[in-house]
């Protein structure tokens, strides 16, 4: 049981480049979340999904898009990266919206 | 707007003492509240969930209280150990019941 796996673990992007972060869970969880964590700001919810084919905006959705085509995968896309998107990104999944299981994080730097 | 507030100042305590962390919230009507632990460079790890109809919940050396009138939860670690040093996060589901939002966390340092 791998739990929640995020790919990649580290990435450096140039301003204006695009990329996709992949989150995969093998626990058959309905709910999945994407957060960013910045010093002094805590975990902020970007987007979330309550089931395959559904997505919803969280607290800080601007500049990001998501897709949940398969139940086990939740993709976070940056269409045109900006330095303000330099952060650590965490994905999480939950069976019922309560106890959440987190991935190990992706450290993204936009230069 | 909805807010989840935790003490931003780090809490330093001596080994063996009880650590008490506070979580206050506004504009939430939570069915439950959760506490997580986060170590540097790692993702948060779930510790405890307490429901609105539960006043107190315990798990080994951990105790959580939940007062929906005060809109506050207290998180206690008894007989604290240096290994308990970490950041502790409080989390609530938004009023839709789906979005899981976190406080900024309180850093705990337990010294021998």
């Amino acid at each position: 049981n791998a739990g929640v796996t995020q790919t990649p673990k580290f990435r450096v992007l140039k301003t204006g480049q695009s990329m996709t972060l992949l989150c995969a869970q093998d626990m058959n969880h309905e709910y999945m979340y994407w957060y960013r964590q910045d010093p002094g700001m805590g975990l902020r919810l970007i987007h979330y999904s309550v089931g395959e084919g559904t997505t919803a905006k969280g607290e800080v959705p601007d500049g990001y898009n998501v897709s949940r085509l398969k139940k086990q995968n939740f993709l976070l896309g940056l269409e045109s990266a900006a330095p303000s998107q330099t952060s650590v990104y965490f994905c999480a999944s939950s069976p019922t919206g309560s106890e959440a299981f987190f991935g190990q994080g992706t450290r993204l730097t936009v230069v | 707007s909805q807010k989840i507030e935790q003490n931003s100042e780090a809490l330093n305590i001596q080994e063996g003492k009880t650590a008490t962390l506070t979580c206050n919230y506004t504009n939430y009507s939570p069915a439950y509240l959760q506490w997580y632990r986060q170590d540097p460079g790692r993702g948060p790890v779930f510790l405890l969930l307490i429901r609105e109809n539960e006043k107190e919940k315990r798990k080994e050396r951990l105790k959580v209280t939940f007062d929906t009138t005060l809109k506050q939860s207290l998180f206690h670690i008894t007989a604290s150990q240096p290994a308990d040093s970490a950041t502790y996060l409080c989390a609530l589901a938004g009023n839709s019941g789906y979005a899981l939002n976190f406080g900024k966390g309180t850093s705990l340092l337990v010294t021998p």
Side-chain angles (χ1 to χ4, degrees), chain A residues 23-87:
Chain A
C23 177
Q25 53 99 358
D26 61 2
M27 297 173 283
N28 201 35
H29 287 172
E30 291 293 336
Y31 292 66
M32 296 188 75
Y33 311 89
W34 274 108
Y35 295 89
R36 61 176 290 174
Q37 189 170 40
D38 304 290
M41 300 298 292
L43 278 167
R44 291 185 292 169
L45 183 63
I46 305 171
H47 286 280
Y48 63 98
S49 168
V50 299
E52 181 179 315
T54 74
T55 63
K57 294 180 180 180
E59 179 187 356
V60 290
D62 293 343
Y64 305 95
N65 57 74
V66 288
S67 65
R68 184 108 181 261
L69 299 179
K70 293 184 178 180
K71 187 176 184 178
Q72 63 268 33
N73 296 336
F74 196 28
L75 279 62
L76 178 71
L78 287 72
E79 290 186 349
S80 179
S84 60
Q85 294 178 304
T86 293
S87 187

Side-chain angles (χ1 to χ4, degrees), chain B:
Chain B
S1 62
Q2 294 181 320
K3 289 184 181 179
I4 303 171
E5 295 177 316
Q6 298 184 251
N7 284 351
S8 58
E9 287 187 20
L11 179 62
N12 294 339
I13 65 167
Q14 202 170 16
E15 182 176 8
K17 302 291 186 182
T18 296
T20 298
L21 287 69
T22 304
C23 174
N24 294 296
Y25 60 91
T26 55
N27 294 322
Y28 278 92
S29 300
Y32 47 80
L33 182 147
Q34 304 177 52
W35 284 91
Y36 289 75
R37 167 183 173 142
Q38 187 174 24
D39 293 287
R42 310 290 293 271
V45 174
F46 172 81
L47 295 175
L48 278 170
L49 180 151
I50 185 166
R51 301 189 183 280
E52 60 178 338
N53 60 349
E54 297 175 313
K55 294 292 185 187
E56 180 181 298
K57 197 150 188 184
R58 293 175 185 260
K59 178 182 177 182
E60 297 173 351
R61 295 183 295 111
L62 308 180
K63 185 179 86 171
V64 172
T65 63
F66 191 17
D67 189 325
T68 56
T69 301
L70 290 179
K71 298 186 185 302
Q72 181 181 80
S73 174
L74 299 179
F75 177 81
H76 307 272
I77 305 176
T78 59
S80 60
Q81 304 167 0
D84 295 327
S85 299
T87 296
Y88 291 87
L89 306 168
C90 167
L92 291 169
N95 290 339
S96 70
Y98 302 137
L100 186 61
N101 296 311
F102 285 79
K104 293 181 181 179
T106 298
S107 176
L108 172 66
L109 179 62
V110 181
T111 53

